[in-house]
């Protein structure tokens, strides 16, 4: 079974801090994704990566950056946290085949981040 | 830009009922459509994936259909159970990524 593990279930940080959210998958998937989920707005894609050291912006990349130094790990970075970044953050991965693998994405359990 | 709409936003049914969740999308140029389940405070679990060339997929009591030309999909749940209570999300995969609907929150009461 595919396992996508997010390092924290709950996280509380202060405005202006640099925040790191970590995600690790154990299935050698090429593709990894970061989403945020907010009531009334649904899931929105922040960044994704098709390979090590590759990254592409999603729909809402402003205020975020990512790092993919190893295939199994995809990190989301909030450069200077703000209260409007309080949200549920979800990481996902999917098998290779660049884009059209017709395989479902596998999700972690999420990190509920609060910025005070 | 692709838009995905799910109707209804919430649904409450007694145990044992058969039910249908609806999903519509605006751009028919998709590679596949996926249905997910999300329990409160948890991540998403994949239920079914229908490739663009397929009309339906079945898994146990779940059946999903796809009409790409009209931009519609339905998720049919037979003989609903309290354990089916969750939010159900539809997503379409286009050129680069998934676009999600906002979900249908389902409550099945005993």
């Amino acid at each position: 079974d595919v396992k996508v593990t997010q390092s924290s279930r709950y996280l509380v940080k202060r405005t202006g801090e640099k925040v790191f959210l970590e995600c690790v998958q154990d299935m050698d998937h090429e593709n990894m994704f970061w989403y945020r989920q907010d009531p009334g707005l649904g899931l929105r894609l922040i960044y994704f990566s098709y390979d090590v050291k590759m990254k592409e912006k999603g729909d809402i990349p402003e205020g975020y950056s990512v790092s993919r130094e190893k295939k199994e790990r995809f990190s989301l970075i909030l450069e200077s946290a703000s209260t409007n970044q309080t949200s549920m953050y979800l990481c996902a991965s999917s098998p290779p085949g660049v884009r059209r693998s017709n395989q479902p994405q596998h999700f972690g359990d999420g990190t509920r981040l609060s910025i005070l | 830009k692709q838009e995905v709409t799910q109707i209804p936003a919430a649904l409450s049914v007694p145990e044992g009922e058969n039910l249908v969740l609806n999903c519509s999308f605006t751009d028919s140029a998709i590679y596949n459509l996926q249905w997910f389940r999300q329990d409160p405070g948890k991540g998403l679990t994949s239920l079914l994936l229908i490739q663009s060339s397929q009309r339906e997929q079945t898994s146990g009591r779940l059946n999903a259909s796809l009409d790409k030309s009209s931009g519609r999909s339905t998720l049919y749940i037979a003989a609903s159970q309290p354990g089916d209570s969750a939010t159900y999300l539809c997503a379409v995969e286009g050129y680069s990524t998934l676009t999600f609907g906002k979900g249908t929150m389902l409550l099945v009461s005993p």
Side-chain angles (χ1 to χ4, degrees):
Chain A
D1 248 7
V2 176
K3 191 156 180 66
V4 179
T5 303
Q6 295 183 230
S7 55
S8 305
R9 289 298 310 279
Y10 302 94
L11 207 52
V12 180
K13 296 291 183 181
R14 296 208 172 272
T15 304
E17 279 192 66
K18 190 169 186 175
V19 181
F20 293 85
L21 302 184
E22 306 287 346
C23 175
V24 177
Q25 50 93 4
D26 65 358
M27 283 301 290
D28 202 35
H29 286 170
E30 253 82 3
N31 308 327
M32 296 189 76
F33 307 83
W34 275 107
Y35 297 89
R36 63 178 284 178
Q37 186 176 29
D38 301 286
L41 296 176
L43 269 88
R44 294 177 292 168
L45 181 65
I46 305 171
Y47 267 98
F48 57 105
S49 170
Y50 291 121
D51 204 347
V52 175
K53 296 193 186 295
M54 291 184 67
K55 60 184 179 185
E56 291 195 37
K57 294 179 180 179
D59 298 320
I60 51 163
E62 296 78 20
Y64 303 94
S65 62
V66 290
S67 173
R68 184 110 182 257
E69 295 296 319
K70 292 185 177 181
K71 193 175 185 180
E72 67 270 19
R73 186 180 297 270
F74 193 34
S75 303
L76 180 69
I77 304 157
L78 284 66
E79 298 292 343
S80 178
S82 64
T83 55
N84 64 12
Q85 293 178 309
T86 292
S87 185
M88 174 73 137
Y89 289 86
L90 292 163
C91 174
S93 72
S94 70
V98 184
R99 296 182 175 154
R100 303 292 67 74
S101 63
N102 272 323
Q103 295 289 324
Q105 289 186 14
H106 298 268
F107 282 79
D109 278 342
T111 296
R112 188 163 293 283
L113 175 64
S114 296
I115 307 296
L116 305 179
Chain B
K1 185 182 173 185
Q2 179 75 268
E3 291 183 8
V4 180
T5 303
Q6 292 188 245
I7 294 173
L11 182 62
S12 182
V13 300
E15 181 177 6
E17 271 203 15
N18 302 324
L19 56 99
V20 174
L21 308 181
N22 297 291
C23 172
S24 62
F25 48 95
T26 55
D27 186 349
S28 61
I30 65 170
Y31 289 93
N32 62 60
L33 183 141
Q34 303 181 33
W35 282 95
F36 293 87
R37 168 188 173 133
Q38 186 175 30
D39 293 292
K42 295 282 195 174
L44 280 65
T45 300
S46 176
L47 297 173
L48 291 164
L49 183 150
I50 312 175
Q51 297 181 31
S52 62
S53 58
Q54 298 174 324
R55 295 292 297 222
E56 66 178 336
Q57 280 286 336
T58 298
S59 176
R61 293 181 295 108
L62 305 179
N63 175 275
S65 68
L66 173 64
D67 183 344
K68 202 173 81 158
S69 60
S70 68
R72 295 178 188 278
S73 175
T74 61
L75 179 66
Y76 175 82
I77 302 177
S80 58
Q81 302 171 357
D84 294 330
S85 298
T87 296
Y88 290 81
L89 292 149
C90 162
V92 295
E93 188 161 18
Y95 177 67
S96 58
T97 57
L98 283 176
T99 302
F100 284 85
K102 292 179 181 162
T104 295
M105 187 182 301
L106 173 65
L107 177 63
V108 182
S109 51

